[in-house]
Amino acid sequence: MNLCIKLLLLSLALSLSSAFAGDKPLKILITNVHIFDGVSEERLMNSNVLIEDHLIKQISNQPILVDDAIQIDGKARTLIPGLIDMHWHSAYASIPMNVGLTSDHAYHLLIGAKSNEKALLRGFTTVRDVGGNVFSLAKLTDTGVYDGPRIFPSGPAISQTSGHTDFRPSTAVPADLDAPLVYMERIGHVIVADGVPEVLKRTREALRMGATQIKINSGGGVSSSFDPLDVTQFTIEETKAAVDAAKDWNTYVATHTFTDAATRRAVEAGVLSIEHGHLLSEETLRLMKEKGAYLSMQPILDDEDAIPFPEGSFSRMKYIAVTKGTDRVYQLAKKIGVKTVFGTDTLFDPELAEKQGKQLAKLARWYTPVEVLRQATSTAGELLARSGPRNPYPEGPLGVIKQGAYADLILVDGNPLENIDLVANPQENFDLIMKNGKIYKNELN
């Protein structure tokens, strides 16, 4: 490129930036699109959307007349809300376990920043981070230092002794009250609490750190070393202590649990979001429906995308037991009408993290394409809003395309309401990705 052309392009860029600088809001007009608003069964055909700064200003199937907007011809693509992953771990998703457990906090967050940038380019404009000290990453993403989805952070996952995120070595019993915290606790990824006073303290500490919701562990886990799946963790009094402390801050508790006993105790104590739940009965799902609790489940199966635990290992046996319940619980939850949201829970596996969209598309085994998309858009946004004043993004709703909502938008080359597999390949099928009114990918021009 010769010098004259470079100078011309620089002049044009400066002119554009000055035209939209100062108090004059940046406006983007997307024309000629068919809109899935996150809720409706049918698309709003032949429509136009005006974005002003980071919010949706106007939607119409008539021409929108505006003089000072950047115009993008949507070329009859389908416009959908930005996708939401409700069970994401920014600090762990793309780090192999042996590396993550032997690396420092800065390493976790730097890898997490790169991983989140890739998630954004897969169309995930928001994540709920349910375990890990990613408060700095959330702030740096909001200020534009890093590109990535907006983050609703839980901070340290709170566990009882021997619980799902008790990362202390097997030799750490009996516990020495004067012993220092293990590294994962010191950096705020996890914390152990026993008894009502400790649970209250640790919950309040997480809220003080900036948690938008609280994450506890109410039952056995797959990847953890010391807890079988069937164990129930935290007493009803301990669980209620976390719920009460969160309610005092006008937010809610999400909990890791798979089984009936653990889930019933959590729901009876007021927990709002059940993370996993692959072994639940119809009775417990009906209790969740009655109490208004959400099911935050993952479409995990023992298939080509199975987590590669060593054959015959404790974790492998637990993983098989969990995946055997996936079909039944999704079918029951749909029949009963339990509000269900999508999440991946990718851990320690950068290759699996790349399949975020494929995991979403797997829901077609149980749901219609519209129902699939709702789980990752409007229903997810509804649960995020339950953070109340702890919500860092209070200006508008997430997960929907409507006036006043955040301008998180994806242009899909095709109709995902007919072919949900389009979301499995965002590199090929997502022509435009916008978060907060800013374009991160544009293949249209």
Side-chain angles (χ1 to χ4, degrees):
M1 184 183 295
N2 62 42
L3 181 60
C4 290
I5 295 175
K6 286 182 178 179
L7 290 173
L8 179 62
L9 289 174
L10 177 60
S11 174
L12 178 60
L14 290 173
S15 298
L16 282 172
S17 64
S18 63
F20 300 112
D23 295 331
K24 193 172 186 181
L26 175 65
K27 296 177 183 179
I28 299 175
L29 178 61
I30 303 176
T31 62
N32 187 24
V33 291
H34 310 310
I35 299 173
F36 168 65
D37 62 5
V39 179
S40 303
E41 293 282 346
E42 303 290 338
R43 296 180 298 171
L44 180 63
M45 305 298 288
N46 305 313
S47 298
N48 310 290
V49 179
L50 177 64
I51 295 105
E52 191 169 294
D53 279 347
H54 54 284
L55 301 177
I56 296 172
K57 182 72 172 179
Q58 186 180 352
I59 301 169
S60 178
N61 56 8
Q62 300 298 317
I64 297 176
L65 303 177
V66 57
D67 294 329
D68 53 351
I70 298 171
Q71 296 202 23
I72 297 174
D73 181 357
K75 300 181 180 179
R77 304 295 201 262
T78 300
L79 190 70
I80 69 172
L83 301 173
I84 301 171
D85 190 327
M86 292 295 283
H87 197 115
W88 183 249
H89 294 285
S90 303
Y92 317 144
S94 297
I95 301 179
M97 182 180 287
N98 62 327
V99 176
L101 294 178
T102 56
S103 302
D104 65 18
H105 191 205
Y107 186 92
H108 297 168
L109 293 192
L110 289 170
I111 295 295
K114 196 68 178 177
S115 176
N116 277 9
E117 180 183 1
K118 293 178 180 179
L120 177 60
L121 293 177
R122 292 191 289 269
F124 287 88
T125 54
T126 301
V127 296
R128 187 180 59 160
D129 195 295
V130 282
N133 180 358
V134 295
F135 297 108
S136 293
L137 179 56
K139 291 176 183 175
L140 292 171
T141 302
D142 286 342
T143 56
V145 175
Y146 294 112
D147 291 341
R150 59 170 58 80
I151 300 172
F152 282 71
S154 296
I158 303 171
S159 171
Q160 69 171 47
T161 292
S162 77
H164 178 54
T165 54
D166 180 354
F167 283 180
R168 296 173 297 180
S170 58
T171 54
V173 290
D176 180 355
L177 297 180
D178 296 322
L181 299 175
V182 297
Y183 185 70
M184 293 290 277
E185 291 183 303
R186 294 202 307 274
I187 63 176
H189 279 342
V190 300
I191 197 69
V192 171
D194 292 300
V196 168
E198 277 198 14
V199 171
L200 282 172
K201 179 179 180 179
R202 299 310 187 186
T203 301
R204 289 166 178 166
E205 286 176 343
L207 292 163
R208 184 178 187 268
M209 294 167 76
T212 53
Q213 64 284 317
I214 294 298
K215 168 70 178 301
I216 66 172
N217 298 289
S218 295
V222 171
S223 59
S224 42
S225 301
F226 306 118
D227 56 339
L229 282 176
D230 63 287
V231 301
T232 299
Q233 299 170 13
F234 282 135
T235 65
I236 186 72
E237 293 81 10
E238 289 171 318
T239 308
K240 194 171 186 305
V243 170
D244 288 345
K247 281 184 177 178
D248 285 345
W249 281 59
N250 300 302
T251 186
Y252 68 91
V253 172
T255 191
H256 163 106
T257 173
F258 287 103
T259 66
D260 254 15
T263 301
R264 290 186 70 84
R265 179 181 291 179
V267 173
E268 293 284 8
V271 169
L272 185 65
S273 182
I274 298 301
E275 308 302 307
H276 314 310
H278 292 69
L279 303 176
L280 299 182
S281 68
E282 181 170 349
E283 182 183 11
T284 297
L285 287 163
R286 290 192 182 280
L287 176 66
M288 289 177 60
K289 173 71 181 297
E290 175 190 334
K291 297 288 188 179
Y294 291 74
L295 179 64
S296 175
M297 191 168 162
Q298 297 72 47
I300 55 172
L301 302 163
D302 191 21
D303 58 9
E304 72 277 6
D305 300 317
I307 299 172
F309 295 114
E311 201 63 46
S313 67
F314 185 39
S315 288
R316 172 65 179 160
M317 290 186 288
K318 291 191 286 185
Y319 182 80
I320 293 171
V322 165
T323 57
K324 283 181 178 178
T326 301
D327 271 321
R328 182 181 55 81
V329 173
Y330 270 131
Q331 291 166 3
L332 284 172
K334 179 175 179 177
K335 180 182 80 170
I336 294 166
V338 178
K339 289 186 177 181
T340 304
V341 296
F342 168 74
T344 53
D345 192 27
T346 299
L347 290 170
F348 313 120
D349 191 341
E351 291 186 8
L352 186 58
E354 294 285 349
K355 299 175 182 178
Q356 213 170 0
K358 182 182 179 184
Q359 293 290 93
L360 178 59
K362 281 185 179 183
L363 289 173
R365 180 178 176 126
W366 308 281
Y367 297 95
T368 67
V370 169
E371 292 169 335
V372 171
L373 289 172
R374 285 175 185 154
Q375 288 194 29
T377 56
S378 59
T379 308
E382 177 185 303
L383 178 51
L384 291 175
R386 299 294 292 270
S387 292
R390 305 287 76 76
N391 179 357
Y393 314 101
E395 293 182 65
L398 294 165
V400 291
I401 298 178
K402 69 177 187 179
Q403 185 175 334
Y406 279 96
D408 295 358
L409 303 168
I410 302 170
L411 269 178
V412 185
D413 187 4
N415 183 4
L417 274 65
E418 294 178 350
N419 179 15
I420 194 62
D421 285 336
L422 291 168
V423 304
N425 189 355
Q427 290 81 7
E428 293 292 327
N429 301 320
F430 291 1
D431 287 335
L432 183 140
I433 297 172
M434 173 186 287
K435 186 198 93 174
N436 211 40
K438 180 179 177 180
I439 295 171
Y440 290 86
K441 176 183 179 181
N442 185 0
E443 301 291 337
L444 292 170
N445 299 319

